[in-house]
């Protein structure tokens, strides 16, 4: 099988490339290195076993010709390239919208032209401001006003979902849409605001662990290897075509408890410091108070749900940062 992974030099994409290569497939990755990095795939490029079936292209997904050339060569496309991370979205509002909306349109348009199976990556952010749990794929999506830029990410990804489903409905394009909840693991950087790599890095270096707000907001976390497994199973399941599916973790934890747990696991002397939202984020920021997925649909489709316990996820991230002490981010 030949697979194109857009955003394949990013955190999730590089793990996915790893898994498909291990399976014996041919993998093309395209990435503009905005948040991705060549170091994420260095080990794959250096592996002689992959010499003739791993191809890396440093280019933007908005380059239509390049995308057409790549999509026409492969059997399926996994579209992960996106502007991600709350901080990045807020700092780069125009390019984020163009990458996330126009980029996905290009992928779908070309995949449709060549009738290639495609996976579109959406996000738990599309649920918006709910506090109930668990969040089901059929729930309403509730956003704040357009003056609050955080919601541009959710709105853009929501349009991506509609576009994907429209191609499925109108043209019969085999498309799967996933809503990823907070995903963590080795190679994720804290540079764009992601909480676990930030807390681990802070704890290991003795810097204050920065809890935003009062720390009562909650999340679940999924190990990237479980996300990769779920994606690969979904791509093999015909019943997933034309569906939107949550992929996320099960253990709900408050951000304050997370900070305490990381402090304990790293035996850190760091203080836990509360940072008000208006200091942590630009004006008019709104956080999501709670975000817990329903995994029923995922389970019914592939018979699997992410199962790595939070402690093991944290252990992996801590070990990664210890090995890469001094890593720049
Ligand atoms: N957060 C925090 N301190 C940090 C970074 C993030 O308290 O240094 C909080 C953030 O406000 C949010 C949660 O951790 O409530 C998860 O943030 P992240 O950016 O990882 O993902 P999100 O779920 O917001 O997309």
């Amino acid at each position: 099988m030949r697979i194109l992974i857009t955003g394949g030099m990013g955190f999730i994409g590089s793990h996915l490339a790893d898994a498909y290569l291990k399976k014996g497939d041919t993998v093309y990755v395209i990435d503009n290195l905005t948040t991705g990095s060549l170091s994420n795939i260095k080990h794959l490029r250096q592996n002689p076993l992959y010499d003739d079936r791993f191809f890396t292209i440093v280019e933007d997904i908005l380059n239509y010709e390049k995308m057409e050339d790549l999509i026409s060569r492969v059997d399926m496309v996994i579209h992960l390239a996106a502007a991600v991370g709350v901080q990045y979205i807020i700092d780069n509002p125009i390019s984020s919208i163009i990458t996330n909306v126009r980029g996905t349109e290009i992928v779908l348009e070309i995949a449709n032209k060549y009738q290639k199976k495609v996976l579109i990556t959406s996000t738990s952010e599309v649920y918006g401001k709910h506090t109930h749990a668990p969040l089901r794929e059929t729930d309403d999506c509730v956003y704040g006003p357009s003056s609050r830029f955080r919601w541009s990410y959710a709105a853009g990804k929501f349009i991506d979902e509609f576009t994907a489903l429209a191609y499925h409905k109108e043209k019969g394009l085999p498309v799967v849409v996933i809503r990823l909840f907070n995903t963590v693991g080795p190679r994720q950087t804290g540079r764009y605001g992601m909480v676990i790599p930030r807390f681990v890095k802070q704890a290991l270096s003795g810097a204050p662990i920065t809890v935003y707000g009062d720390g009562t907001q909650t999340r679940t976390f999924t190990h990237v290897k479980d996300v990769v497994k779920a994606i690969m199973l979904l791509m093999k399941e015909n019943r997933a075509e034309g569906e939107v599916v949550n992929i996320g973790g099960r253990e709900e934890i408050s951000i304050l408890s997370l900070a305490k747990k990381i402090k304990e696991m790293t035996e850190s002397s760091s203080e836990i410091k509360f940072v008000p939202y208006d200091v942590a984020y630009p004006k008019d920021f709104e956080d999501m108070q709670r975000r817990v997925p329903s995994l029923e649909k995922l389970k019914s489709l592939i018979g699997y749900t992410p199962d790595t316990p939070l402690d093991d996820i944290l252990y992996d991230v801590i070990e990664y940062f210890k090995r890469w002490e001094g890593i720049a981010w």
Side-chain angles (χ1 to χ4, degrees):
M1 191 79 106
R2 284 157 303 161
I3 297 135
L4 171 65
I5 304 174
T6 72
M9 300 179 206
F11 159 55
I12 300 175
S14 63
H15 283 279
L16 196 63
D18 220 323
Y20 275 119
L21 286 167
K22 263 193 198 116
K23 203 165 100 13
D25 293 309
T26 295
V27 176
Y28 292 77
V29 299
I30 181 166
D31 201 302
N32 69 358
L33 299 181
T34 304
T35 52
S37 151
L38 285 167
S39 62
N40 285 340
I41 50 147
K42 195 170 156 205
H43 62 295
L44 301 175
R45 290 172 99 187
Q46 286 175 345
N47 188 333
L49 285 177
Y50 304 154
D51 267 355
D52 57 349
R53 55 188 182 88
F54 183 49
F55 305 98
T56 57
I57 300 99
V58 176
E59 186 50 84
D60 205 290
I61 53 162
L62 299 176
N63 181 334
Y64 199 99
E65 249 173 46
K66 190 75 214 170
M67 287 297 283
E68 180 152 15
D69 173 48
L70 288 170
I71 293 176
S72 65
R73 290 166 192 253
V74 297
D75 302 300
M76 62 191 201
V77 183
I78 298 188
H79 179 42
L80 287 164
V84 289
V86 171
Q87 198 61 53
Y88 185 86
I89 304 293
I90 291 171
D91 293 344
N92 303 277
I94 300 176
S95 67
S96 299
I97 293 171
I98 293 173
T99 300
N100 291 357
V101 177
R102 180 73 191 129
T104 302
E105 268 173 25
I106 289 175
V107 168
L108 287 165
E109 205 172 293
I110 304 171
N112 179 57
K113 183 168 171 189
Y114 293 90
Q115 279 298 304
K116 300 292 168 73
K117 183 158 182 165
V118 54
L119 178 131
I120 298 296
T121 313
S122 183
T123 163
S124 57
E125 287 265 333
V126 298
Y127 287 106
K129 299 205 259 186
H130 284 292
T131 51
H132 76 272
L135 295 166
R136 289 177 208 288
E137 292 85 346
T138 46
D139 283 349
D140 288 342
C141 297
V142 187
Y143 303 144
S146 54
S147 56
R148 302 197 165 182
F149 252 90
R150 169 178 201 139
W151 303 115
S152 70
Y153 180 54
K157 286 286 186 179
F158 207 39
I159 281 291
D160 289 350
E161 292 193 5
F162 275 123
T163 315
L165 296 177
Y167 269 102
H168 179 73
K169 192 171 177 231
E170 222 178 292
K171 311 276 187 190
L173 183 70
V175 56
V176 180
V177 179
I178 55 168
R179 286 183 180 166
L180 289 184
F181 285 63
N182 300 58
T183 303
V184 284
R187 292 185 216 143
Q188 186 179 39
T189 146
R191 206 183 305 149
Y192 308 106
M194 277 73 168
V195 66
I196 288 185
R198 283 177 60 83
F199 282 4
V200 169
K201 178 98 180 164
Q202 289 165 341
L204 288 176
S205 64
I209 302 177
T210 54
V211 170
Y212 298 162
D214 62 6
T216 57
Q217 70 273 33
T218 68
R219 294 292 186 271
T220 64
F221 295 94
T222 325
H223 196 296
V224 64
K225 68 174 190 223
D226 294 351
V227 169
V228 164
K229 182 172 173 182
I231 289 176
M232 291 170 83
L233 288 170
L234 280 170
M235 286 307 268
K236 287 202 302 194
E237 176 51 65
N238 292 344
R239 288 180 306 141
E241 289 171 13
E243 298 292 338
V244 175
V245 193
N246 288 339
I247 302 180
R250 256 178 290 208
E251 289 171 72
E252 183 176 14
I253 185 167
S254 75
I255 297 302
L256 178 56
S257 304
L258 181 72
K260 288 181 180 160
K261 196 186 251 294
I262 290 173
K263 179 175 155 78
E264 200 182 296
M265 285 178 78
T266 51
E267 295 173 359
S268 169
S269 57
S270 293
E271 60 157 324
I272 293 179
K273 186 176 164 194
F274 291 92
V275 181
Y277 281 120
D278 57 356
V279 175
Y281 293 109
K283 195 173 141 284
D284 280 347
F285 176 79
E286 276 181 283
D287 200 4
M288 288 172 79
Q289 188 57 27
R290 194 173 185 202
R291 201 194 262 165
V292 180
S294 159
L295 298 173
E296 268 172 47
K297 188 167 180 182
L298 183 67
K299 176 107 191 183
S300 75
L301 286 169
I302 60 171
Y304 166 78
T305 54
D307 50 9
T308 305
L310 180 60
D311 280 4
D312 294 4
I313 297 175
L314 293 177
Y315 178 84
D316 266 12
V317 177
I318 292 166
E319 287 306 301
Y320 171 75
F321 274 102
K322 277 186 183 163
R323 261 198 321 277
W324 293 95
E325 209 178 348
I327 199 170
W329 56 280

